[in-house]
Amino acid sequence: MADADLVMLQPDQVLAIAEAGKRLKCTEALIVTGERPELKYVEAKRWLSEMGHRTLSGFIAEISERILQKTGLLPHTNAGSLTKKEMSMLKDNNVSLGMMLESTSERLLEPGMAHEKAPSKNPKVRINSLISAGELKIPITTGLLVGIGESLDDVVKSLLLIKKLNDEYGHIQEVIIQNFSPKPGTRMENKTPPLDNYFLKCIAAARILLKTINIQVPPNLSPTTYHRFVDSGINDWGGISPLTPDYVNPEYPWPTIKEVKRITNTKGFALRARLPLYPEFITNHHKNRIFVPEKLNAFIETLIDESGLVKEEYLHGY
């Protein structure tokens, strides 16, 4: 891996993006990274050392704090299956974390299956991270990747595991049901995406089993069919950036907020903006006291109305 192949933004670049987002009335700074690149790439380890850090988590903690203080945007980090120690470094400067469970099926680790060469996606590793977030009282978003060789029974078992963890810790604020999309140049580039009816069944199963937990499906991965997801039980579209592409799936551009608003209205609902922390963690004083550091509340309160959602004027013009 050559230095030119590294995609590591300098702190000033990160802050410039955050400041541009603030001008466009964004409220979240989504920090998405590879998982501990310093253990795999000498270049990444050297780059982090030049930044004054031994680990990527240390750097993320520093840049999250700088984003908060300089822009008021609320950081939400998705850096894979973090350890409890790594998560604790981010608790005071990220209002929530994200980590996809993907599936509890260990069958997907077998030769020829989706997770064969991805040890960090071992269900035990991912479940331990979700438990650590619960023990640390950190709100977290997780989810399933559908269409990677799992069965509907696997989906149900995964959803029940998520429900069990939330019943114990109360920290799972959102579950993403994401349809697999093949990417050129990857091991699964010839894998067929999940059929629409199967995917809709998975969404409906999530709504039935998870009851009041928020359920998201990203609309950009299903540009011609995402209107059907509301009927299956979702209540969240996820983030749509007016500034940056979906870096994980850059081949799928965001729909416009105006179009998503139109679809939402035709289904009998109103489109509202939320923070990377859901209203129940803000307006419920008991949950807020447990899950939200007081320091972060000061930043949150400037962005919301009495419902815990983003002030209406933030969507004006979109």
Side-chain angles (χ1 to χ4, degrees):
M1 184 178 189
D3 287 329
D5 296 325
L6 283 169
V7 182
M8 304 288 270
L9 294 176
Q10 296 290 330
D12 287 348
Q13 293 174 294
V14 175
L15 291 172
I17 293 171
E19 288 175 326
K22 183 180 182 179
R23 289 193 293 272
L24 291 170
K25 298 182 179 179
C26 296
T27 58
E28 173 181 355
L30 173 61
I31 300 170
V32 180
T33 74
E35 193 168 295
R36 300 183 196 88
E38 69 272 20
L39 299 183
K40 189 175 182 181
Y41 302 112
V42 173
E43 296 88 350
K45 184 176 182 179
R46 182 168 61 245
W47 186 89
L48 285 167
S49 179
E50 290 170 358
M51 294 296 106
H53 293 281
R54 294 178 59 250
T55 67
L56 181 61
S57 295
F59 175 72
I60 294 173
E62 178 194 325
I63 203 67
S64 295
E65 186 67 30
R66 292 179 67 179
I67 289 170
L68 261 179
Q69 298 297 337
K70 190 159 188 180
T71 71
L73 267 66
L74 303 176
H76 167 93
T77 293
N78 189 331
S81 52
L82 299 176
T83 65
K84 193 171 185 178
K85 181 179 179 181
E86 290 168 329
M87 286 182 177
S88 66
M89 297 170 68
L90 304 177
K91 180 177 172 65
D92 288 337
N93 41 56
N94 278 253
V95 295
S96 57
L97 300 178
M99 187 210 64
M100 294 289 281
L101 172 61
E102 295 204 6
S103 177
T104 58
S105 175
E106 296 193 1
R107 184 171 50 83
L108 298 178
L109 297 168
E110 295 174 358
M113 299 299 282
H115 292 164
E116 175 192 359
K117 297 182 179 181
S120 70
K121 293 188 177 183
N122 185 311
K124 290 185 176 69
V125 174
R126 299 257 156 169
I127 292 166
N128 281 340
S129 289
L130 290 175
I131 290 172
S132 292
E135 291 173 344
L136 289 168
K137 304 294 188 291
I138 298 175
I140 194 165
T141 289
T142 189
L144 307 185
L145 187 56
V146 173
I148 55 175
E150 83 294 331
S151 66
L152 187 57
D153 280 352
D154 292 329
V155 170
V156 170
K157 289 175 183 176
S158 300
L159 292 169
L160 289 173
L161 184 278
I162 290 172
K163 180 182 183 300
K164 179 183 177 183
L165 292 178
N166 190 63
D167 287 345
E168 183 170 357
Y169 298 106
H171 68 312
I172 295 176
Q173 61 169 2
E174 176 189 32
V175 173
I176 301 170
I177 307 297
Q178 182 171 326
N179 46 317
F180 166 76
S181 297
K183 292 179 182 292
T186 66
R187 288 178 58 244
M188 296 181 68
E189 64 180 338
N190 296 317
K191 174 78 175 172
T192 304
L195 296 175
D196 287 347
N197 284 344
Y198 171 67
F199 187 56
L200 291 171
K201 284 181 182 177
C202 294
I203 298 170
R207 173 49 67 218
I208 291 167
L209 295 174
L210 300 182
K211 301 184 187 306
T212 60
I213 295 177
N214 301 289
I215 297 175
Q216 179 210 132
V217 178
N220 60 314
L221 299 185
S222 307
T224 62
T225 58
Y226 73 84
H227 62 281
R228 302 179 67 188
F229 301 156
V230 178
D231 299 327
S232 295
I234 74 163
N235 66 306
D236 194 285
W237 294 115
I240 297 174
S241 173
L243 178 66
T244 53
D246 179 349
Y247 284 112
V248 179
N249 299 286
E251 63 274 26
Y252 291 96
W254 304 115
T256 65
I257 293 176
K258 190 171 291 186
E259 176 62 11
V260 173
K261 185 175 182 179
R262 185 188 68 79
I263 293 291
T264 305
N265 291 344
T266 63
K267 295 297 181 178
F269 297 95
L271 183 67
R272 289 291 307 273
R274 63 162 174 85
L275 300 178
L277 183 70
Y278 274 82
E280 53 264 37
F281 289 86
I282 300 170
T283 59
N284 182 313
H285 296 302
H286 176 68
K287 292 196 78 163
N288 183 270
R289 182 173 53 80
I290 293 173
F291 288 99
V292 186
E294 189 56 40
K295 170 188 130 179
L296 294 178
N297 271 319
F299 293 96
I300 290 167
E301 288 168 2
T302 65
L303 301 170
I304 58 169
D305 61 19
E306 65 279 357
S307 71
L309 292 168
V310 176
K311 293 173 182 175
E312 289 270 25
E313 57 261 33
Y314 277 80
L315 272 183
H316 287 174
Y318 287 107

